[in-house]
Amino acid sequence: MMAAARMAFASCARLLPSSPSPLILARNRAAAGSFFTPPPSSAARSNRSLALFCSSSSSVSPSEAAAMPPPPQAAVEEANKPTPAAAEGGGEKAEPTAEELVGLLDIRVGRVVKAWRHPEADTLYVEEVDVGEEEPRTICSGLVNYIPLEQLQDSNVIVLANLKPRNMRGIKSNGMLMAASDASHDNVELLTPPEGSVPGERVWFGSEDEKDRQSDPASPNQVQKKKIWESVQPHLRTTDNCVAVLGEHPMRTSTGTVFCKSLQGARVS
């Protein structure tokens, strides 16, 4: 390849008889600012055209090609230097999707063992919820204006279990009951696991075969720091059949899909 380049350069130079070398011309042009002011003669245009359209197929002796200097080493190294994007493996890493992030949430089947009104907050219930652990979890929920207390007692629910505990008017809440609500938030219904679901079973999204492909849940600190719940929640809704979904992926337990009582196209939180 280098020999071919040298031969092409030599052939171009031979087509411009008795003319100074390109290096000398460049120096003369830099020294004389008005070099390009006069229109070029027809002979000069002809020579320039010949130089422009010459090809490596012109006959150049091997000795002439060998006499041409190689390109500077610095230029070769610069041309071969990888771009920053290539050096870093193709650019910035893509942000994870909601479908990838939801696997980091610990969403479980729960059963409300006991519920009562919060003594210091008119809109809060306090529940003890069995989520498959040694002791029931204490969870505070702002459902007083939407769900009667007797309906909450002994109900099967869906619990987001890896949120950081929060102090709710003097009572530490360790989780969240998941519910569907309409656009105006006038109507709220708890998500309900299908019959036969066992407290503590982890919920997943997708087909029945995807249960075994769940990732380990993130710690409560990671969920908060990386805003995992905030990234997933806008993609949760109910279908026309009141089934809870993430995008098009239904929320499932081993016995079926999770649903609400009657709200269609509702947001889930």
Side-chain angles (χ1 to χ4, degrees):
M1 184 182 293
M2 188 66 72
R6 291 170 178 167
M7 293 174 67
F9 183 86
S11 65
C12 291
R14 293 181 61 187
L15 291 171
L16 298 172
S18 70
S19 62
S21 68
L23 180 60
I24 295 174
L25 279 175
R27 288 174 180 170
N28 290 341
R29 290 170 182 169
S34 60
F35 182 83
F36 288 103
T37 303
S41 64
S42 59
R45 286 196 300 270
S46 176
N47 287 340
R48 194 178 304 119
S49 299
L50 286 171
L52 179 64
F53 291 101
C54 68
S55 68
S56 58
S57 60
S58 303
S59 60
V60 179
S61 68
S63 60
E64 289 176 315
M68 295 184 63
Q73 183 63 26
V76 174
E77 293 175 356
E78 183 68 24
N80 293 333
K81 186 183 295 183
T83 63
E88 295 174 6
E92 295 183 0
K93 186 177 179 180
E95 291 292 326
T97 64
E99 286 77 7
E100 294 168 331
L101 290 173
V102 76
L104 300 176
L105 296 176
D106 187 7
I107 304 175
R108 304 187 202 176
V109 174
R111 184 177 71 86
V112 177
V113 178
K114 182 180 178 182
W116 64 96
R117 295 281 295 263
H118 194 299
E120 302 295 333
D122 293 339
T123 60
L124 295 179
Y125 287 131
V126 183
E127 307 100 17
E128 289 182 359
V129 185
D130 178 9
V131 291
E133 298 170 340
E134 291 185 4
E135 298 291 336
R137 288 201 186 194
T138 299
I139 297 176
C140 296
S141 305
L143 299 172
V144 169
N145 296 328
Y146 307 103
I147 297 174
L149 183 59
E150 59 271 16
Q151 183 180 328
L152 192 58
Q153 299 280 8
D154 297 319
S155 62
N156 293 321
V157 293
I158 298 296
V159 178
L160 178 54
N162 60 339
L163 296 176
K164 280 192 79 170
R166 294 178 58 192
N167 193 314
M168 308 283 283
R169 296 288 189 93
I171 297 178
K172 184 173 287 187
S173 178
N174 194 12
M176 181 181 75
L177 303 189
M178 298 185 68
S181 61
D182 58 15
S184 62
H185 205 69
D186 291 331
N187 298 288
V188 176
E189 297 176 357
L190 287 170
L191 294 188
T192 303
E195 186 176 355
S197 299
V198 178
E201 180 182 2
R202 194 172 171 204
V203 171
W204 76 96
F205 292 84
S207 66
E208 296 179 3
D209 298 334
E210 292 178 275
K211 177 180 179 180
D212 297 329
R213 295 201 289 269
Q214 293 183 92
S215 59
D216 293 332
S219 69
N221 283 336
Q222 290 173 323
V223 171
Q224 181 183 59
K225 182 178 179 180
K226 297 182 179 180
K227 299 186 181 300
I228 295 173
W229 170 241
E230 290 83 354
S231 298
V232 171
Q233 189 276 324
H235 302 275
L236 295 171
R237 61 180 179 86
T238 61
T239 66
D240 292 342
N241 296 324
C242 303
V243 173
V245 294
L246 174 74
E248 300 300 324
H249 307 287
M251 182 186 286
R252 289 183 177 276
T253 74
S254 57
T255 60
T257 55
V258 175
F259 60 94
C260 67
K261 184 179 179 180
S262 63
L263 294 178
Q264 301 173 329
R267 63 191 295 268
V268 172
S269 60

